[in-house]
Every structure is written in structure tokens, then in C-alpha cells.
Amino acid sequence: TTAAVTLFAVTANITSGGDRVIYEDSTNINSFTDGFLLFRDASNKVVAALRGNTGGAGSNFISTVTVTTTAAVISAVYDKSLATNEVTDWIDGTSAGTRPQNLNNTNNFGNRASFIGMRAGTSLPLAGDIAEIILYNRALDTTERQQVEAYLS
């Protein structure tokens, strides 16, 4: 287990139609205190969320960037070791912002099943393509993140 992870997803042809999971680290982030999630909401915004022992998931970080049908490299750092800004994401290397709420989570992410393109079972299926997913078991620094984004773009 680890307190921080970095997730990269290359998506394309994302269509609207409700919340759609890109990647979820648990069968349902709302049922556990040690998971994280990346999805596209009904307004085509990227949502990066985590859940910890003191909060999260109920008040997800919603980026200001809309995911369209063109290919996009989505990057997200989930870092529970930080007192604030536990979630930060980028779309095609451009910052989509940070999660400013002060959650102060102290637990690590768990060792749970991961789901790509839908929640466990068949709920919240992604309407679109995922070309690649890369997951690191730590928070990458800016240079490392940019190198992976360059490789994926």
C-alpha cells in the first residue's frame, strides 16, 4: 500500500450520457476509505476523486476542462500525504486544477481490485475508448509527469 499514486489515461471518442468510469481502484469508491477514481461526468468534465479515513469522494474534484471526442492524455496525482490539494489533474499537460479541500487523510490506498472503463460489474460504463492506462505507486514530480505525458501524446 502507498499514500500516493499517479495515474495516466489516454482516452478518445468520449461521448456524453451520464457519469462514466475511466479508472476505479475499488469496486465502489463510496464503500471503502482507501480507493481513488477517475471518471467523466455528465457534463463531460474530468472528475478525479479519492476516499480516505477522514473524507473525500462525496465532494469530488471536478476539473474545469471538458473531455471531447478527440484524444486526450489525462494525468492525476492522488497524494494523501498532503494536508491540502490531495488531488491534482492535468489534461494534455495543462493543469486542470487541484482539490483545495483540506481533508487530512492519514491512511494509505488499499490493495483492491482495479476497474478500467466501468465500475465493478457493469455500472457506469465508459462510452469511448481507452488507449492506455499507466499507474505509478507514488506521486511523480513535475519533470517525471511531463516525460510520461510527452511519451503518451
Side-chain angles (χ1 to χ4, degrees), residues 97-108:
T98 58
R99 189 180 197 293
Q101 187 174 359
N102 187 355
L103 295 174
N104 290 315
N105 286 303
T106 58
N107 66 321
N108 286 340

Side-chain angles (χ1 to χ4, degrees), residues 11 20-21 38 42 66 69 74 88 98 103 107 118 120 124 148:
T11 64
R20 303 295 183 189
V21 169
L38 184 69
T66 301
T69 57
I74 304 167
T88 306
T98 58
L103 295 174
N107 66 321
M118 72 175 60
L124 305 178
V148 175

Side-chain angles (χ1 to χ4, degrees), residues 4-139:
V5 295
T6 304
L7 175 67
F8 297 89
V10 180
T11 64
N13 301 317
I14 303 289
T15 59
S16 59
D19 294 345
R20 303 295 183 189
V21 169
I22 297 170
Y23 184 94
E24 185 165 18
D25 183 60
S26 74
T27 54
N28 183 329
I29 191 173
N30 298 306
S31 301
F32 302 97
T33 61
D34 59 359
F36 60 95
L37 170 69
L38 184 69
F39 72 97
R40 196 244 338 120
D41 72 5
S43 63
N44 291 331
K45 304 287 187 192
V46 171
V47 179
L50 64 76
R51 186 143 163 107
N53 59 323
T54 64
S59 53
N60 299 319
F61 171 74
I62 301 173
S63 74
T64 57
V65 178
T66 301
V67 178
T68 64
T69 57
T70 59
V73 176
I74 304 167
S75 313
V77 174
Y78 305 82
D79 192 347
K80 291 185 183 182
S81 70
L82 302 175
T84 60
N85 299 329
E86 290 183 330
V87 179
T88 306
D89 69 341
W90 299 263
I91 311 294
D92 293 327
T94 300
S95 175
T98 58
R99 189 180 197 293
Q101 187 174 359
N102 187 355
L103 295 174
N104 290 315
N105 286 303
T106 58
N107 66 321
N108 286 340
F109 291 108
N111 186 15
R112 301 210 177 271
S114 298
F115 296 87
I116 299 171
M118 72 175 60
R119 181 162 275 169
T122 58
S123 66
L124 305 178
L126 183 70
D129 301 321
I130 299 172
E132 190 155 2
I133 295 279
I134 299 175
L135 180 66
Y136 289 86
N137 65 352
R138 63 185 177 87

